[in-house]
Amino acid sequence: RDPPKVFLALDPAYVNLPPIFPFPRLYAFVDCCQALLLSTPLPPFCSELAEVFTDKAVREGPQEVDLAALDGRPRIEGLEVSATSFASVRANAKVKRGKWYYEVLLRSDALMQIGWCTDACAPDSSRNRGVGDDEHSWAFDGCRLLLRWNKNHKPWGKKPWKEADVVGCLLNLDECEMQFSVNGKQLKDNDGDPVAFRDFGDYVGDGLYPAASFDQENTCLFNFGASELLYKPQDYESIGIPSPLFQSIENYYVDPPAPLVTPSPPATPRRRGSVLSATGSASTSGPAQRLQYDTDCAIVLYAASLCELQHKTVYNVVMSPDRKLLGELNLLSIPFEEIAWRFIQLRQFNTVFRMMHGFVNVLENAQQGPLVGMLNRIKPLLFPSVVQDILRANLALSNRTSEHVKITINRRKATRHRLEPQRDPTAKHSLFGQIHSLLATKPPAFFRNPKRLWSVVFAGEGADDVGGPYRESLADVCAELMSAATPLFLPSPNQRHNTGDNRDKYVPNPGAHRPLHLSMYTFLGQLMGGCVRGSEPLPLYLPSIVWKTIVGDRLDRSDLEAVDRTLLQSMNFFAALDRQGVTEEVFGDYLEANFTTVLSDGTEVELIPNGQEVPVTFTNRLTYVDLVLKRRLHESDVQVDALVKGFHSVIPPHAVSLLTWQQLEVLVCGKPDFDMAELKATVRYEGLSPNDIRVQYLWQVLSEFSPQDKALFMRFISGRERLPVRLKIMPLHTKDDPDNYLPGASTCFFWISLPKYSSVAVMRQKLLYAIHNCVDIDADYRVRDFDDDAPPTVGISEGNDDEDFEDYSHLL
């Protein structure tokens, strides 16, 4: 049953509740939202900048503690760590005196060793030696119920830890004692002694770091105190220094001894047109209120752009003036000191939001209380990195490991179908149709896999799939969907008429309403969700109507203009005829129509019962305009709903509801274009240097490519059309004239091999020929004769090629 409207929705699966519900933080959240939407001053705690300093003789390291790899190749995302092989990590803060505590939330039935280490700790992943396996580290292995130090192992605890357990690590340097707890319950030996290690003072050296080692397929989340620790004992301090924001909120709402004074930014001469004040306030009148909100949105976009340029988060980005970017966002009229000050306030609000988002359902169609509408309006004020962190955490909680399937599909049959799609209206011979026939009956859990969804064999082509053919199959499927090869999407009216914006978009086909079609839409939604989990961008050109429906936003006329500008202009013209002096007597000279409209697929439909017989008159024209716009805006509701149903079965709606529709589009599709700096930022070189003439030729040629040719180049080297790609450039040694050779590529490992061409013109010619004509993947082995009419097949793969698959999803 739905909860009463005045109550908040709470999903315990996505919220780690502290022992006492944080009501003050909820009040802070509500007050911040209201202040931002009404352009009134934010509460004082959003402006406090108190820094916490510590004695380096007691604790050494940054206030906000991070993790770094100690050995092996762990994947570190913020404070979440996972590993595909044995690896070790260490915090970047150490303690020397006092009593300290941190927690680890297990995201799997983890085989790991959690504890402490010194600077001298030297784990060796090649020998599966980690934290607790030398004399400079101490660890608890709760899977095998062992204490580990050097070569000594001691039984500890009675029940193995499991997924969702919270492991507490207690360190008393004053008494030289270490203890461990699980879910707040202290572990003891058979005699009831809670001390796991003691008398280790001779080994401490210059301090101890939190540290851990992981076996493969294990994931956990560290908490050093930046967010609330669930089971911190009395008299123990957190390794990370809690944000002063938490205490300020408590003081403000629970025990305010005196009014808090809001600090002011540096004094700056006011400029004409400036909106912000020291507290971020503005007049509550309509235009000024809207201007303040728009300015806040622009500051969020500005900070997000700086984060992207500096490869940092909002918590460590350097706010510096960029006049070009400030001009693009209409911020030049505001003193930069005030922009930086407002950024700090907005960042504090985002921190408050991170504390409380799990308690509120932000979907537009939810009926769980008065916060829903307010939350949807403040979405543009959330920093993208904050939203992405929340999304990653939600996805990590619901990721599943499914069976690894291998499919065989026929690209040559699909090519013949694409030339004559009318001969197969079901599109069963298209690649999308072949894959749909194999995998559409899989349960949603199959698509909740954070790795590849399948391995692929292209019938008649010699390709071993360790990543490249899989990406190639996805790119082929997307190319079919955005063409006449399948009946699911049609060129938008803007594309057909070459007018308006978004001329590359394809709209869902309102005529594709058979059960097979709806099943295909649902399967596509599941595929999109699975590729988001696997960080695999799909080059789909879908309109905002689709993306808004997925995130729960309402559609409006701008969404119709994005696909059919001509229709909207004509309807606006008819609605305003009276303002142009047109009267009822001459109305017939401007419009002869009845209550029907034509959909994107060319179908004429009635807007009202017997609408074919009802003429449009001067009197009822506004009703006609409203009905036309509503019908056209929602012409594909059935198709979009089927796609959204599939997407939400893989990624829960609350997990994406914080995204703007533009952010979701980039998340699913990647960036349609890239500049050279993005590609160069992660490039690798093997056998040549960045100054090699071949490398210089390549950069010059790529800088001159059109977006379409850039996409083909990306597909040539990776099997996908969009970033992220970590390119490797290698030399191609030739026996004779290099100008007679084409460049080589491996889509599995993202490398390109370049002959030593005589000029940049030859490089351009050869590269263009390769990316436009070299489609088949035939370099891995010789193909024997095969049955060109054989149906697609699917089987369970005995091995898992993902171990050879280069994962660059962290570059997203």
Side-chain angles (χ1 to χ4, degrees), residues 268-541:
T268 307
R270 299 293 296 166
R271 297 185 186 177
R272 188 175 183 179
S274 178
V275 180
L276 300 178
S277 69
T279 59
S281 62
S283 168
T284 56
S285 60
Q289 178 179 329
R290 182 68 204 183
L291 185 58
Q292 177 65 74
Y293 177 82
D294 290 344
T295 301
D296 285 343
C297 293
I299 292 173
V300 169
L301 291 175
Y302 181 80
S305 298
L306 290 184
C307 289
E308 189 172 347
L309 290 171
Q310 299 176 19
H311 303 288
K312 294 184 178 180
T313 70
V314 293
Y315 296 103
N316 57 15
V317 68
V318 177
M319 285 293 287
S320 55
D322 182 323
R323 290 192 60 82
K324 180 181 178 182
L325 187 56
L326 290 168
E328 292 173 355
L329 295 171
N330 296 319
L331 292 173
L332 280 175
S333 63
I334 303 174
F336 189 76
E337 291 82 0
E338 293 195 17
I339 292 175
W341 183 253
R342 186 62 170 181
F343 160 74
I344 292 171
Q345 295 179 312
L346 292 170
R347 184 173 63 184
Q348 294 283 66
F349 162 69
N350 275 255
T351 302
V352 173
F353 178 82
R354 290 185 72 164
M355 293 187 293
M356 298 308 306
H357 76 277
F359 293 92
V360 184
N361 186 343
V362 299
L363 287 178
E364 181 67 43
N365 59 359
Q367 298 296 322
Q368 280 95 352
L371 290 179
V372 175
M374 180 167 60
L375 288 174
N376 276 287
R377 291 170 61 195
I378 60 95
K379 278 202 296 186
L381 300 179
L382 301 177
F383 291 106
S385 60
V386 171
V387 174
Q388 289 162 10
D389 285 347
I390 294 172
L391 175 62
R392 276 194 291 266
N394 281 332
L395 294 185
L397 286 168
S398 55
N399 278 337
R400 295 293 180 267
T401 301
S402 58
E403 59 189 12
H404 190 77
V405 302
K406 179 171 285 189
I407 64 175
T408 300
I409 53 179
N410 192 326
R411 290 208 291 182
R412 298 181 186 180
K413 183 184 292 185
T415 300
R416 292 197 298 271
H417 163 75
R418 192 167 183 173
L419 294 175
E420 296 181 288
Q422 68 279 2
R423 298 183 62 179
D424 177 22
T426 64
K428 65 180 180 180
H429 295 311
S430 68
L431 287 183
F432 179 75
Q434 294 178 50
I435 297 174
H436 171 265
S437 69
L438 299 175
L439 303 178
T441 58
K442 294 289 184 183
F446 172 81
F447 298 91
R448 296 183 191 137
N449 190 344
K451 299 181 179 180
R452 285 187 293 166
L453 297 175
W454 61 75
S455 294
V456 64
V457 174
F458 292 129
E461 300 179 47
D464 282 330
D465 188 5
V466 288
Y470 170 66
R471 290 187 289 266
E472 186 82 11
S473 68
L474 293 175
D476 285 339
V477 162
C478 293
E480 288 182 339
L481 290 168
M482 304 291 98
S483 73
T486 71
L488 302 187
F489 297 94
L490 301 169
S492 70
N494 280 357
Q495 183 181 156
R496 296 199 308 267
H497 302 147
N498 196 29
T499 186
D501 299 325
N502 304 303
R503 301 181 194 183
D504 57 346
K505 302 301 183 185
Y506 286 77
V507 296
N509 182 358
H513 46 66
R514 296 180 180 178
L516 175 62
H517 297 149
L518 298 183
S519 173
M520 285 181 164
Y521 282 114
T522 299
F523 177 71
L524 174 59
Q526 291 176 319
L527 180 60
M528 291 163 61
C531 287
V532 168
R533 287 183 179 270
S535 302
E536 196 60 54
L538 297 175
L540 296 169
Y541 298 87

Side-chain angles (χ1 to χ4, degrees), residues 585-657:
E585 290 73 20
V586 298
F587 177 75
D589 297 335
Y590 288 87
L591 177 66
E592 289 188 18
N594 48 34
F595 272 71
T596 63
T597 190
V598 178
L599 306 182
S600 294
D601 65 342
T603 303
E604 185 178 17
V605 296
E606 293 183 325
L607 300 172
I608 58 175
N610 299 316
Q612 189 75 37
E613 309 300 326
V614 180
V616 178
T617 65
F618 183 83
T619 303
N620 66 19
R621 77 186 191 285
L622 296 181
T623 301
Y624 167 76
V625 167
D626 288 341
L627 290 173
V628 168
L629 295 179
K630 182 178 179 180
R631 186 68 177 88
R632 288 298 311 282
L633 187 61
H634 296 278
E635 67 177 10
S636 301
D637 277 1
V638 173
Q639 293 75 21
V640 173
D641 287 347
L643 186 151
V644 173
K645 174 185 175 183
F647 188 93
H648 284 168
S649 72
V650 178
I651 298 182
H654 67 262
V656 293
S657 59

Side-chain angles (χ1 to χ4, degrees), residues 722-739:
R722 302 187 179 188
L723 292 177
V725 167
R726 192 180 182 194
L727 175 64
K728 178 190 285 186
I729 305 176
M730 305 166 59
L732 178 61
H733 302 292
T734 59
K735 296 180 180 179
D736 46 37
D737 186 357
D739 289 356

Side-chain angles (χ1 to χ4, degrees), residues 188-221:
K188 304 176 182 179
D189 65 10
N190 292 332
D191 297 326
D193 185 2
V195 179
F197 299 102
R198 53 168 47 95
D199 300 329
F200 47 81
D202 293 341
Y203 299 93
V204 171
D206 196 34
L208 293 179
Y209 300 87
S213 297
F214 311 81
D215 207 348
Q216 60 182 356
E217 306 301 330
N218 286 299
T219 305
C220 67
L221 179 67

Side-chain angles (χ1 to χ4, degrees), residues 503-504 541 672-674 702 704-716 720-722 768 771-772:
R503 301 181 194 183
D504 57 346
Y541 298 87
D673 195 8
F674 63 89
L702 290 178
E704 298 167 356
F705 271 8
S706 66
Q708 293 77 17
D709 284 337
K710 285 182 181 179
L712 289 175
F713 171 77
M714 297 293 289
R715 186 165 178 178
F716 177 68
R720 65 164 69 124
E721 294 184 3
R722 302 187 179 188
L768 282 171
I771 66 177
H772 281 273

Side-chain angles (χ1 to χ4, degrees), residues 18 20-32 45 225-229 242-243 245-247 249-250 253-254 351-356 359:
I20 301 176
F21 186 86
F23 281 109
R25 299 182 191 180
L26 174 60
Y27 299 146
F29 175 54
V30 173
D31 286 348
C32 287
F45 51 76
S227 58
E228 187 157 357
L229 292 161
S243 167
L245 175 64
F246 299 161
Q247 189 60 50
I249 290 174
E250 298 290 328
Y253 289 101
V254 178
T351 302
V352 173
F353 178 82
R354 290 185 72 164
M355 293 187 293
M356 298 308 306
F359 293 92

